Amino acid sequence: MAAAGAGAGAGLVALAAAVQDFIAGQQDSRAVEVAAGVKDGSWTVLQLVEALGSCLESTDPRTRGRGIQLLSQVLLQCYSLLQEKEVLHLVVFYENRLQDHHLVIPSVLQGLRALSMCEVLSPGLAVSVLKAIFQEVHVQSLLQLDRHTVYSIITNFMGTREEELKGLGADFTFGFIQVMDGEKDPRNLLVAFQIVHDLITKNYALGPFVEELFEVTSCYFPIDFTPPPNDPHGIQREDLILSLRAVLASTPQFAEFLLPLLIEKMDSDLQSAKLDSLQTLTACCAVYGQKELQEFLPSLWSSLRREVFQTASEKVEAECLAALHALSACLSRSVLSSDTEDLLASFLSSILQDCRHHLCEPDMKLVWPSAKLLQAAAGASLRAYHCVTRSVLPLLLEQYTKHPQSSQRRTILEMLLGFLELQQKWGDMEEEDESSLLLLRAPVCSVVFSALTDASVQLQLVGIRALTVLGSLQGFLSPSDLELVVDHLIRLALCEEDSQSSEAAMEAAGSLAPIYPKVFSGCMVPRLEAELQSAWEEESSRDHCSLRQRCLQALAAVSIHSSIVQETVPVLLQYLRKVQKGNEAGNTQDVISVCQSLHRVALQCQQDTEGCWYYHQTVVPCLLAMAVQAAMQESTHPLLGKALLEEEVLAAMVPVISAATTHLSPELAAQSVSRIVPLFLDGEVSFLPQNSFPCSFKPFEDGECLEAQRRLVILLMAFVCSLPCSVAIPQQERLLRELLALSCSCNCPFTATTAAKCFAGLVNKHPAGQQLDEILQLAVNRMEPSLAEGPRRMQALTLLLWVTKALVLRYHPLSSRLTDKLLGLLGDAELGPTAADGFSLLMAECPDVLHKGCHADVRIMFRQRFFTDNVPKLVQGFHGAGPDVKANYLKGLSHVLNHLPKPVLVTELPTLLSLLLEALSCSDRVVQLSTLSCLQPLLLEAPQIMSLHVDTLVTKFLGLTSSPTMAVRIAALRCAHALTSLPTTVLLPYKARVIRALAKPLDDKKRLVRKEAVAARGEWFLLGSPGR
Amino acid sequence: MVGPGPGGGAALENANPLIYRRSGERPVTAREEDDELPDSIDDREIFDLIRSINDPEHPLTLEELNVVEQVRVKVNDAESTVAVEFTPTIPHCSMATLIGLSIKVKLIRSLPERFKKMNSARLDLGEERNANMCRGKNRRVTKLPTDCFNLYSKWRRNQ
């Protein structure tokens, strides 16, 4: 007890000392201690007030101010600990102090701010504080920070004492208007605007002060504020604009004052003011109604019209159209009573009156602005749409027939298309009896069909787009129209000279097919099949060749809906069989086209589980059967079916099988894998269609005559490497061993590479564990001796590359050992160049295996990781290497750098800069090219570092502009262009020399080189001139 | 139905110059990508050089104002001659000289020296003052785009 008393006594002594230091000693840090004392209970606020006693009564305003400052700072920290009674006394004290000397006021306001955050504030105190502030303080003569304190007090009270403040009625609003009147600081304005916004949206009484409140805020409109450079507060012009707009557009009560202001500012010369006015108008339309707008509609419309007709700025135009759209939407929303005028109708009729005639004028000058205005108004509501289109659509149709020129017709049709697209927004049109569009079905269709048969490609393209839109309107096209549509699409897709039209027609067919699957599968597919058939039977002249290709593309394009896929896939496969049986020279291209079409179909039905399974079940066995058949015939009839075994044809089948497999569900994939793996391992052909083969299928067995069979491993690769990870592969160990053996022993590079890729694809997905370690050990054991010497070093290197890639991708620990082996091979005279190129294989995305799409295990940062792990070794190797193999290291390095994301590159490159400069002197084309493409972004993004080497860079770049390789010349000129982003003072000494040297590539034999030379030289000419 | 519009809309019509569609980037052909085959300098290539020059009074290119057109560009690569005709947007356009100069400077900088050596007068910058080609009235001269001005002052200095 005594100890506590002594403690308290000592505490008070410490308090008195701290207070003394703060007030007399001007030590601001003591305030923290005093506050801490209150928090941990060493002394109370009351004791603090007592300790302050004498200085609060001092006659010197500075001492009084200092005393109150200490009290306020403590309160700001401890307001939550105060009792209701204490708060009452403090409030009364502070209110009285508001009348004190002006030096004291800032601290008093701080104290009130602390008290405004108290939860235990008794009812009535908030009102009395505010009244005192409104009465005693002239806020706008205070400093910015103190004004901000006042706004904070008001904000705090509005947050917690809304009901009490509302009791003040309009007096509160009036008081606040006086507080903020004349505010200039953007930081305070943001708070003040928020308060006004709350006043309005929380329904405080505005009383007779609506206009005053509007005046006090609207005087800032349009906001003209540029933040000072290095502004620490980070207030942007946009923040102020948005918060002021929120205030102005918050209530219809402002409408009568705001709308004239907006109309006036739309006429401003400042584009920013125009944009702000238009955007504010758009925002207002969300809360306004008919009543507010009525009076101002004519002048609003004439301002908007003037801007759209006159402006050169797309932004202003877009905002005008948005505002018109909002106006029209606002009027459409209003409920009509029987005695009021329908403002929407009269507004739209004035728009129509002003725009309609422009649509008919022969020079078509203001056609587009008018059409855009009409479309903006029509897009607001269904009622507005009917009102506008009732008058405009017949006019456009009439104009189309009046204008014979295709360019004018195109413009008219594009406008018509705009209106049709709006109709899409309103969806179904069957319920709408009075729908203006349905009444115009016949003329609209005839206009669109006539555009499709026009000679002008541009008009055709618009026609095709219009056709797509018409087709997407449910119930618009009648069955007979649809037949015509199909006719036109087939004609355009197959026979139109211009490839643009043909592609557009196929795309249109693709988007209409899922809407009318019956029409397309019943009508379009048979027609295409017949065309394909007849094109095939004709002599294969050039024309028919392209006709066949277009048929195939069109068949693929319409295969969107599952019912259509079931029609088209058999057609494509049937055609493939026919081509395979023929033995003409052009067959290869035909087979590849079919495969491309099949691939497209596969991609289109991936998302649909059943469609995907149907496709997989139909296509994969069929392709395998044809390939197996061809491979077996190869030994007996070398000529038959040869096309199917060519490398490029097999490569074209890979994406088909892969795409048909990646999205299979695991159960179905397991079903399929249990048939296909035994086919390759044991020759189980029973599941293939037409499976009576002359001999057995044994791709993994030795024997000269089986060469053709071995090639088909690529089809196995396409399948097994695309399977989802969860699917177990039967006899995987055996399969891996066979693949490994094939890749090391096969003499044919195509087969060996394929086997290596397939092995790598499987290893990448193989779950970690002993089995994987064993198979990898086996692979290393086979590779190492073959790499060291012997006839199959190249095959061993290929295998090494692919296995390394598979392991690098999944961060397998063995990958670093294999990469080191690869780095060692860079010094090999025979394998070095290939090993260097291998680095590009490691870093690049591979199209057929080991990518995300086929479920490979790819870590996202593997490239960066590879870079940090191996680039130091590459650099070290380069410095230690003999002169004849140095280029290999540079090449490897440049491949790694080329595939690294550019932002990473820019941070890492400065350390490698000296090496890159050396690489520019390397005679290897690949090294030059990739070094130049590394340096170009660096010149743009790190000009300071680069300017240290400007002499070397200029000399090397200019030298490379006469390289024999076009790509190098282009890259060198791009770098010379990028040089201009270095500081001008560094470049000026070289200006004359560079300009003279760049005259030569201006006369380069290649146009693409000349183009770069012109750009680079032009930029060098401008160096150092004013205004650049 | 067809009649003069009420109020301001009709009176302001002419303040707008007609804006023409830009011909997009020249597509790169397979031939152009072949390292061996030479590509001669053709009309389109010259047109591409000058079409992006800004007009002195509008924030638009000469192509968009139809001041230059591809059909009015003639080049003979073998003889190293170029002729460009351009159409000022109004007769007696005060900017015509500046436009001509801009085109000329652009060509001097962008064409091989053999074109200049022949005779720079061969850069035949004819003006066609055809009343039918005139467009727009009430144009105000606004400030010159900086690159045009730079070309001009540079060119003066190089003489």
Side-chain angles (χ1 to χ4, degrees), chain A residues 309-310 354 356-357 366 410 966 1002-1003 1005-1007 1010 1017 1021 1026, chain B residues 3 12-13 16 21 26 32-35 37 39-40 45 109 114 150:
Chain A
F309 280 170
Q310 271 191 59
D354 288 350
R356 213 167 169 265
H357 65 96
L366 286 171
R410 183 181 131 203
M966 172 167 75
L1002 288 182
D1003 210 3
K1005 65 174 178 178
K1006 296 305 297 174
R1007 185 171 296 133
R1010 293 197 295 262
R1017 196 164 189 253
F1021 261 112
Chain B
L12 291 160
E13 237 167 68
N16 245 7
R21 193 178 292 266
R26 180 179 192 156
E32 283 175 348
E33 281 173 341
D34 189 316
D35 223 336
L37 305 169
D39 317 312
S40 65
E45 190 173 338
R109 286 178 177 182
R114 57 192 167 93
N150 287 339

mmCIF file of all heavy atoms in Angstrom, chain A residues 309-310 354 356-357 366 410 966 1002-1003 1005-1007 1010 1017 1021 1026, chain B residues 3 12-13 16 21 26 32-35 37 39-40 45 109 114 150:
data_model
loop_
_atom_site.group_PDB
_atom_site.id
_atom_site.type_symbol
_atom_site.label_atom_id
_atom_site.label_comp_id
_atom_site.label_asym_id
_atom_site.label_seq_id
_atom_site.Cartn_x
_atom_site.Cartn_y
_atom_site.Cartn_z
ATOM 1 N N PHE A 309 -20.701 16.419 -84.584
ATOM 2 C CA PHE A 309 -20.516 16.786 -85.985
ATOM 3 C C PHE A 309 -19.172 17.447 -86.233
ATOM 4 O O PHE A 309 -18.629 17.380 -87.321
ATOM 5 C CB PHE A 309 -21.638 17.738 -86.429
ATOM 6 C CG PHE A 309 -22.917 17.006 -86.765
ATOM 7 C CD1 PHE A 309 -24.102 17.689 -86.986
ATOM 8 C CD2 PHE A 309 -22.935 15.631 -86.874
ATOM 9 C CE1 PHE A 309 -25.275 17.016 -87.287
ATOM 10 C CE2 PHE A 309 -24.095 14.948 -87.169
ATOM 11 C CZ PHE A 309 -25.269 15.646 -87.382
ATOM 12 N N GLN A 310 -18.642 18.111 -85.207
ATOM 13 C CA GLN A 310 -17.467 18.946 -85.454
ATOM 14 C C GLN A 310 -16.173 18.369 -84.982
ATOM 15 O O GLN A 310 -15.121 18.682 -85.514
ATOM 16 C CB GLN A 310 -17.642 20.258 -84.691
ATOM 17 C CG GLN A 310 -18.332 21.296 -85.464
ATOM 18 C CD GLN A 310 -18.200 22.605 -84.723
ATOM 19 O OE1 GLN A 310 -17.106 23.058 -84.472
ATOM 20 N NE2 GLN A 310 -19.300 23.171 -84.361
ATOM 21 N N ASP A 354 -32.934 16.089 -87.008
ATOM 22 C CA ASP A 354 -31.632 16.678 -87.311
ATOM 23 C C ASP A 354 -30.676 15.710 -88.005
ATOM 24 O O ASP A 354 -29.743 16.147 -88.659
ATOM 25 C CB ASP A 354 -30.958 17.168 -86.022
ATOM 26 C CG ASP A 354 -31.633 18.400 -85.475
ATOM 27 O OD1 ASP A 354 -32.474 18.950 -86.198
ATOM 28 O OD2 ASP A 354 -31.334 18.789 -84.340
ATOM 29 N N ARG A 356 -31.654 12.628 -89.716
ATOM 30 C CA ARG A 356 -32.180 11.794 -90.772
ATOM 31 C C ARG A 356 -31.733 12.269 -92.149
ATOM 32 O O ARG A 356 -31.290 11.482 -92.982
ATOM 33 C CB ARG A 356 -33.702 11.829 -90.677
ATOM 34 C CG ARG A 356 -34.379 10.574 -91.084
ATOM 35 C CD ARG A 356 -35.823 10.610 -90.649
ATOM 36 N NE ARG A 356 -36.521 9.515 -91.285
ATOM 37 C CZ ARG A 356 -37.183 9.646 -92.412
ATOM 38 N NH1 ARG A 356 -37.261 10.821 -92.986
ATOM 39 N NH2 ARG A 356 -37.770 8.596 -92.955
ATOM 40 N N HIS A 357 -31.826 13.590 -92.349
ATOM 41 C CA HIS A 357 -31.549 14.074 -93.702
ATOM 42 C C HIS A 357 -30.083 13.901 -94.085
ATOM 43 O O HIS A 357 -29.758 13.780 -95.253
ATOM 44 C CB HIS A 357 -31.975 15.530 -93.843
ATOM 45 C CG HIS A 357 -31.191 16.469 -92.983
ATOM 46 N ND1 HIS A 357 -30.121 17.165 -93.456
ATOM 47 C CD2 HIS A 357 -31.326 16.792 -91.681
ATOM 48 C CE1 HIS A 357 -29.627 17.907 -92.480
ATOM 49 N NE2 HIS A 357 -30.342 17.686 -91.390
ATOM 50 N N LEU A 366 -21.840 13.800 -93.534
ATOM 51 C CA LEU A 366 -22.081 13.679 -92.091
ATOM 52 C C LEU A 366 -22.841 12.397 -91.771
ATOM 53 O O LEU A 366 -23.517 12.293 -90.758
ATOM 54 C CB LEU A 366 -22.844 14.898 -91.586
ATOM 55 C CG LEU A 366 -21.974 16.153 -91.504
ATOM 56 C CD1 LEU A 366 -22.801 17.370 -91.212
ATOM 57 C CD2 LEU A 366 -20.898 15.993 -90.454
ATOM 58 N N ARG A 410 -21.563 0.168 -99.180
ATOM 59 C CA ARG A 410 -20.911 -0.407 -98.028
ATOM 60 C C ARG A 410 -21.151 0.442 -96.779
ATOM 61 O O ARG A 410 -21.486 -0.077 -95.714
ATOM 62 C CB ARG A 410 -19.411 -0.502 -98.306
ATOM 63 C CG ARG A 410 -18.686 -1.139 -97.192
ATOM 64 C CD ARG A 410 -17.229 -1.183 -97.490
ATOM 65 N NE ARG A 410 -16.515 -0.680 -96.344
ATOM 66 C CZ ARG A 410 -15.304 -0.180 -96.389
ATOM 67 N NH1 ARG A 410 -14.684 -0.059 -97.523
ATOM 68 N NH2 ARG A 410 -14.728 0.229 -95.295
ATOM 69 N N MET A 966 19.939 -11.027 -94.473
ATOM 70 C CA MET A 966 18.946 -9.973 -94.349
ATOM 71 C C MET A 966 18.542 -9.757 -92.888
ATOM 72 O O MET A 966 18.469 -8.622 -92.420
ATOM 73 C CB MET A 966 17.725 -10.341 -95.183
ATOM 74 C CG MET A 966 16.568 -9.411 -94.980
ATOM 75 S SD MET A 966 15.303 -9.618 -96.209
ATOM 76 C CE MET A 966 14.535 -11.114 -95.692
ATOM 77 N N LEU A 1002 20.134 2.401 -97.381
ATOM 78 C CA LEU A 1002 18.949 2.953 -98.053
ATOM 79 C C LEU A 1002 18.806 2.361 -99.446
ATOM 80 O O LEU A 1002 17.725 2.357 -100.017
ATOM 81 C CB LEU A 1002 19.071 4.478 -98.181
ATOM 82 C CG LEU A 1002 18.916 5.320 -96.929
ATOM 83 C CD1 LEU A 1002 19.027 6.785 -97.292
ATOM 84 C CD2 LEU A 1002 17.580 5.063 -96.263
ATOM 85 N N ASP A 1003 19.931 1.889 -99.995
ATOM 86 C CA ASP A 1003 19.897 1.314 -101.340
ATOM 87 C C ASP A 1003 20.035 -0.206 -101.280
ATOM 88 O O ASP A 1003 20.455 -0.830 -102.228
ATOM 89 C CB ASP A 1003 21.039 1.916 -102.168
ATOM 90 C CG ASP A 1003 20.667 1.964 -103.638
ATOM 91 O OD1 ASP A 1003 19.520 1.585 -103.957
ATOM 92 O OD2 ASP A 1003 21.507 2.357 -104.457
ATOM 93 N N LYS A 1005 19.145 -4.148 -101.391
ATOM 94 C CA LYS A 1005 18.264 -4.781 -102.375
ATOM 95 C C LYS A 1005 16.951 -5.253 -101.741
ATOM 96 O O LYS A 1005 15.968 -5.466 -102.439
ATOM 97 C CB LYS A 1005 18.982 -5.946 -103.061
ATOM 98 C CG LYS A 1005 19.318 -7.082 -102.121
ATOM 99 C CD LYS A 1005 19.884 -8.258 -102.861
ATOM 100 C CE LYS A 1005 20.257 -9.345 -101.860
ATOM 101 N NZ LYS A 1005 20.763 -10.551 -102.457
ATOM 102 N N LYS A 1006 16.928 -5.394 -100.417
ATOM 103 C CA LYS A 1006 15.696 -5.874 -99.791
ATOM 104 C C LYS A 1006 14.885 -4.717 -99.225
ATOM 105 O O LYS A 1006 15.399 -3.848 -98.530
ATOM 106 C CB LYS A 1006 16.026 -6.852 -98.642
ATOM 107 C CG LYS A 1006 16.713 -8.119 -99.057
ATOM 108 C CD LYS A 1006 15.969 -8.876 -100.115
ATOM 109 C CE LYS A 1006 14.602 -9.347 -99.629
ATOM 110 N NZ LYS A 1006 13.860 -9.960 -100.748
ATOM 111 N N ARG A 1007 13.593 -4.727 -99.500
ATOM 112 C CA ARG A 1007 12.718 -3.639 -99.075
ATOM 113 C C ARG A 1007 12.624 -3.544 -97.550
ATOM 114 O O ARG A 1007 12.629 -2.454 -96.985
ATOM 115 C CB ARG A 1007 11.324 -3.841 -99.670
ATOM 116 C CG ARG A 1007 10.368 -2.700 -99.388
ATOM 117 C CD ARG A 1007 9.095 -2.840 -100.182
ATOM 118 N NE ARG A 1007 9.371 -2.744 -101.603
ATOM 119 C CZ ARG A 1007 8.900 -3.584 -102.506
ATOM 120 N NH1 ARG A 1007 8.139 -4.580 -102.142
ATOM 121 N NH2 ARG A 1007 9.192 -3.434 -103.772
ATOM 122 N N ARG A 1010 15.517 -1.682 -96.260
ATOM 123 C CA ARG A 1010 15.427 -0.243 -96.553
ATOM 124 C C ARG A 1010 14.483 0.441 -95.573
ATOM 125 O O ARG A 1010 14.728 1.549 -95.117
ATOM 126 C CB ARG A 1010 14.930 -0.044 -97.992
ATOM 127 C CG ARG A 1010 15.906 -0.519 -99.037
ATOM 128 C CD ARG A 1010 15.583 0.045 -100.392
ATOM 129 N NE ARG A 1010 14.308 -0.399 -100.936
ATOM 130 C CZ ARG A 1010 14.174 -1.405 -101.812
ATOM 131 N NH1 ARG A 1010 15.222 -2.064 -102.224
ATOM 132 N NH2 ARG A 1010 12.986 -1.731 -102.267
ATOM 133 N N ARG A 1017 17.685 6.245 -89.951
ATOM 134 C CA ARG A 1017 18.368 7.446 -90.424
ATOM 135 C C ARG A 1017 17.543 8.689 -90.086
ATOM 136 O O ARG A 1017 18.083 9.715 -89.648
ATOM 137 C CB ARG A 1017 18.590 7.334 -91.931
ATOM 138 C CG ARG A 1017 19.599 8.315 -92.466
ATOM 139 C CD ARG A 1017 20.068 7.895 -93.860
ATOM 140 N NE ARG A 1017 21.178 8.714 -94.297
ATOM 141 C CZ ARG A 1017 21.070 9.647 -95.240
ATOM 142 N NH1 ARG A 1017 19.910 9.876 -95.814
ATOM 143 N NH2 ARG A 1017 22.127 10.346 -95.593
ATOM 144 N N PHE A 1021 18.799 11.958 -87.958
ATOM 145 C CA PHE A 1021 18.759 13.336 -88.462
ATOM 146 C C PHE A 1021 18.184 14.278 -87.404
ATOM 147 O O PHE A 1021 18.622 15.404 -87.277
ATOM 148 C CB PHE A 1021 17.887 13.414 -89.722
ATOM 149 C CG PHE A 1021 18.674 13.394 -90.991
ATOM 150 C CD1 PHE A 1021 18.608 12.308 -91.847
ATOM 151 C CD2 PHE A 1021 19.485 14.466 -91.323
ATOM 152 C CE1 PHE A 1021 19.349 12.297 -93.020
ATOM 153 C CE2 PHE A 1021 20.224 14.439 -92.498
ATOM 154 C CZ PHE A 1021 20.158 13.359 -93.341
ATOM 155 N N PRO A 1026 15.491 20.940 -81.721
ATOM 156 C CA PRO A 1026 14.520 21.316 -80.692
ATOM 157 C C PRO A 1026 13.198 20.591 -80.893
ATOM 158 O O PRO A 1026 12.822 20.302 -82.032
ATOM 159 C CB PRO A 1026 14.356 22.819 -80.894
ATOM 160 C CG PRO A 1026 14.766 23.062 -82.299
ATOM 161 C CD PRO A 1026 15.828 22.067 -82.599
ATOM 162 N N GLY B 3 -33.657 18.029 -96.594
ATOM 163 C CA GLY B 3 -33.736 19.482 -96.493
ATOM 164 C C GLY B 3 -32.670 19.988 -95.586
ATOM 165 O O GLY B 3 -31.980 19.211 -94.926
ATOM 166 N N LEU B 12 -22.067 24.470 -89.718
ATOM 167 C CA LEU B 12 -20.733 24.087 -89.290
ATOM 168 C C LEU B 12 -20.138 22.978 -90.139
ATOM 169 O O LEU B 12 -18.998 22.610 -89.953
ATOM 170 C CB LEU B 12 -20.799 23.622 -87.828
ATOM 171 C CG LEU B 12 -21.103 24.754 -86.868
ATOM 172 C CD1 LEU B 12 -21.624 24.205 -85.570
ATOM 173 C CD2 LEU B 12 -19.866 25.598 -86.634
ATOM 174 N N GLU B 13 -20.950 22.450 -91.064
ATOM 175 C CA GLU B 13 -20.529 21.303 -91.851
ATOM 176 C C GLU B 13 -19.127 21.449 -92.440
ATOM 177 O O GLU B 13 -18.334 20.533 -92.421
ATOM 178 C CB GLU B 13 -21.500 21.130 -93.005
ATOM 179 C CG GLU B 13 -22.137 19.772 -93.026
ATOM 180 C CD GLU B 13 -23.291 19.782 -93.984
ATOM 181 O OE1 GLU B 13 -23.017 19.903 -95.185
ATOM 182 O OE2 GLU B 13 -24.445 19.686 -93.532
ATOM 183 N N ASN B 16 -15.242 20.853 -91.078
ATOM 184 C CA ASN B 16 -14.649 19.518 -91.029
ATOM 185 C C ASN B 16 -13.935 19.208 -92.334
ATOM 186 O O ASN B 16 -14.582 19.164 -93.365
ATOM 187 C CB ASN B 16 -15.786 18.514 -90.901
ATOM 188 C CG ASN B 16 -15.730 17.801 -89.602
ATOM 189 O OD1 ASN B 16 -14.933 18.137 -88.737
ATOM 190 N ND2 ASN B 16 -16.575 16.811 -89.458
ATOM 191 N N ARG B 21 -9.524 7.238 -95.448
ATOM 192 C CA ARG B 21 -9.049 6.038 -94.768
ATOM 193 C C ARG B 21 -7.552 5.865 -94.988
ATOM 194 O O ARG B 21 -7.052 6.108 -96.077
ATOM 195 C CB ARG B 21 -9.779 4.839 -95.361
ATOM 196 C CG ARG B 21 -9.657 3.571 -94.583
ATOM 197 C CD ARG B 21 -10.472 2.509 -95.279
ATOM 198 N NE ARG B 21 -11.905 2.801 -95.193
ATOM 199 C CZ ARG B 21 -12.690 2.313 -94.245
ATOM 200 N NH1 ARG B 21 -12.204 1.508 -93.350
ATOM 201 N NH2 ARG B 21 -13.972 2.607 -94.232
ATOM 202 N N ARG B 26 1.902 -2.042 -95.283
ATOM 203 C CA ARG B 26 2.063 -2.901 -96.454
ATOM 204 C C ARG B 26 2.302 -4.332 -95.989
ATOM 205 O O ARG B 26 3.188 -4.574 -95.163
ATOM 206 C CB ARG B 26 3.287 -2.417 -97.229
ATOM 207 C CG ARG B 26 3.582 -3.206 -98.455
ATOM 208 C CD ARG B 26 4.785 -2.617 -99.146
ATOM 209 N NE ARG B 26 4.920 -3.179 -100.481
ATOM 210 C CZ ARG B 26 5.560 -2.564 -101.455
ATOM 211 N NH1 ARG B 26 6.111 -1.403 -101.249
ATOM 212 N NH2 ARG B 26 5.646 -3.121 -102.632
ATOM 213 N N GLU B 32 9.435 -10.925 -100.316
ATOM 214 C CA GLU B 32 10.221 -9.936 -99.580
ATOM 215 C C GLU B 32 11.061 -10.586 -98.483
ATOM 216 O O GLU B 32 12.075 -10.050 -98.072
ATOM 217 C CB GLU B 32 9.298 -8.877 -98.959
ATOM 218 C CG GLU B 32 8.803 -7.878 -99.974
ATOM 219 C CD GLU B 32 7.809 -6.910 -99.372
ATOM 220 O OE1 GLU B 32 7.336 -7.124 -98.249
ATOM 221 O OE2 GLU B 32 7.488 -5.933 -100.054
ATOM 222 N N GLU B 33 10.584 -11.726 -98.004
ATOM 223 C CA GLU B 33 11.330 -12.380 -96.937
ATOM 224 C C GLU B 33 12.452 -13.261 -97.465
ATOM 225 O O GLU B 33 13.281 -13.723 -96.695
ATOM 226 C CB GLU B 33 10.372 -13.206 -96.058
ATOM 227 C CG GLU B 33 9.641 -12.302 -95.103
ATOM 228 C CD GLU B 33 8.560 -13.001 -94.333
ATOM 229 O OE1 GLU B 33 8.120 -14.078 -94.769
ATOM 230 O OE2 GLU B 33 8.157 -12.463 -93.291
ATOM 231 N N ASP B 34 12.459 -13.484 -98.792
ATOM 232 C CA ASP B 34 13.508 -14.321 -99.371
ATOM 233 C C ASP B 34 14.792 -13.502 -99.467
ATOM 234 O O ASP B 34 14.827 -12.422 -100.054
ATOM 235 C CB ASP B 34 13.069 -14.797 -100.763
ATOM 236 C CG ASP B 34 14.019 -15.831 -101.307
ATOM 237 O OD1 ASP B 34 15.237 -15.613 -101.164
ATOM 238 O OD2 ASP B 34 13.559 -16.837 -101.864
ATOM 239 N N ASP B 35 15.840 -14.055 -98.883
ATOM 240 C CA ASP B 35 17.087 -13.312 -98.769
ATOM 241 C C ASP B 35 17.713 -13.006 -100.125
ATOM 242 O O ASP B 35 18.424 -12.024 -100.289
ATOM 243 C CB ASP B 35 18.066 -14.149 -97.924
ATOM 244 C CG ASP B 35 18.805 -13.293 -96.932
ATOM 245 O OD1 ASP B 35 18.918 -12.083 -97.192
ATOM 246 O OD2 ASP B 35 19.260 -13.831 -95.922
ATOM 247 N N LEU B 37 16.229 -12.761 -103.461
ATOM 248 C CA LEU B 37 15.589 -11.981 -104.517
ATOM 249 C C LEU B 37 15.632 -10.483 -104.202
ATOM 250 O O LEU B 37 15.289 -10.073 -103.106
ATOM 251 C CB LEU B 37 14.125 -12.415 -104.655
ATOM 252 C CG LEU B 37 13.927 -13.907 -104.896
ATOM 253 C CD1 LEU B 37 12.466 -14.266 -104.749
ATOM 254 C CD2 LEU B 37 14.428 -14.270 -106.267
ATOM 255 N N ASP B 39 14.278 -6.625 -104.251
ATOM 256 C CA ASP B 39 12.996 -5.923 -104.428
ATOM 257 C C ASP B 39 13.325 -4.531 -104.945
ATOM 258 O O ASP B 39 14.100 -3.807 -104.327
ATOM 259 C CB ASP B 39 12.255 -5.748 -103.100
ATOM 260 C CG ASP B 39 12.298 -6.987 -102.244
ATOM 261 O OD1 ASP B 39 12.019 -8.063 -102.778
ATOM 262 O OD2 ASP B 39 12.629 -6.872 -101.044
ATOM 263 N N SER B 40 12.725 -4.154 -106.082
ATOM 264 C CA SER B 40 13.012 -2.809 -106.586
ATOM 265 C C SER B 40 12.180 -1.797 -105.817
ATOM 266 O O SER B 40 11.174 -2.124 -105.200
ATOM 267 C CB SER B 40 12.699 -2.735 -108.072
ATOM 268 O OG SER B 40 11.321 -2.913 -108.247
ATOM 269 N N GLU B 45 6.335 2.041 -102.105
ATOM 270 C CA GLU B 45 7.395 2.260 -101.120
ATOM 271 C C GLU B 45 7.622 3.758 -100.909
ATOM 272 O O GLU B 45 7.767 4.220 -99.775
ATOM 273 C CB GLU B 45 8.677 1.569 -101.585
ATOM 274 C CG GLU B 45 9.734 1.558 -100.504
ATOM 275 C CD GLU B 45 10.951 0.716 -100.890
ATOM 276 O OE1 GLU B 45 10.817 -0.154 -101.758
ATOM 277 O OE2 GLU B 45 12.016 0.955 -100.315
ATOM 278 N N ARG B 109 16.195 12.466 -97.413
ATOM 279 C CA ARG B 109 16.781 11.699 -96.316
ATOM 280 C C ARG B 109 16.576 10.205 -96.467
ATOM 281 O O ARG B 109 17.315 9.417 -95.910
ATOM 282 C CB ARG B 109 16.153 12.135 -94.997
ATOM 283 C CG ARG B 109 16.665 13.473 -94.597
ATOM 284 C CD ARG B 109 16.004 13.910 -93.336
ATOM 285 N NE ARG B 109 16.559 15.187 -92.921
ATOM 286 C CZ ARG B 109 16.197 15.804 -91.821
ATOM 287 N NH1 ARG B 109 15.285 15.282 -91.037
ATOM 288 N NH2 ARG B 109 16.727 16.950 -91.505
ATOM 289 N N ARG B 114 21.840 7.997 -105.152
ATOM 290 C CA ARG B 114 21.769 8.079 -106.619
ATOM 291 C C ARG B 114 20.562 8.889 -107.065
ATOM 292 O O ARG B 114 20.589 9.543 -108.102
ATOM 293 C CB ARG B 114 21.751 6.697 -107.238
ATOM 294 C CG ARG B 114 20.638 5.813 -106.755
ATOM 295 C CD ARG B 114 20.870 4.378 -107.207
ATOM 296 N NE ARG B 114 20.002 3.447 -106.522
ATOM 297 C CZ ARG B 114 18.821 3.042 -106.993
ATOM 298 N NH1 ARG B 114 18.383 3.492 -108.150
ATOM 299 N NH2 ARG B 114 18.087 2.194 -106.302
ATOM 300 N N ASN B 150 10.978 21.129 -87.579
ATOM 301 C CA ASN B 150 12.355 20.687 -87.486
ATOM 302 C C ASN B 150 12.931 20.386 -88.844
ATOM 303 O O ASN B 150 14.051 20.759 -89.148
ATOM 304 C CB ASN B 150 12.447 19.429 -86.629
ATOM 305 C CG ASN B 150 12.248 19.773 -85.187
ATOM 306 O OD1 ASN B 150 12.434 20.916 -84.804
ATOM 307 N ND2 ASN B 150 11.853 18.802 -84.405
#
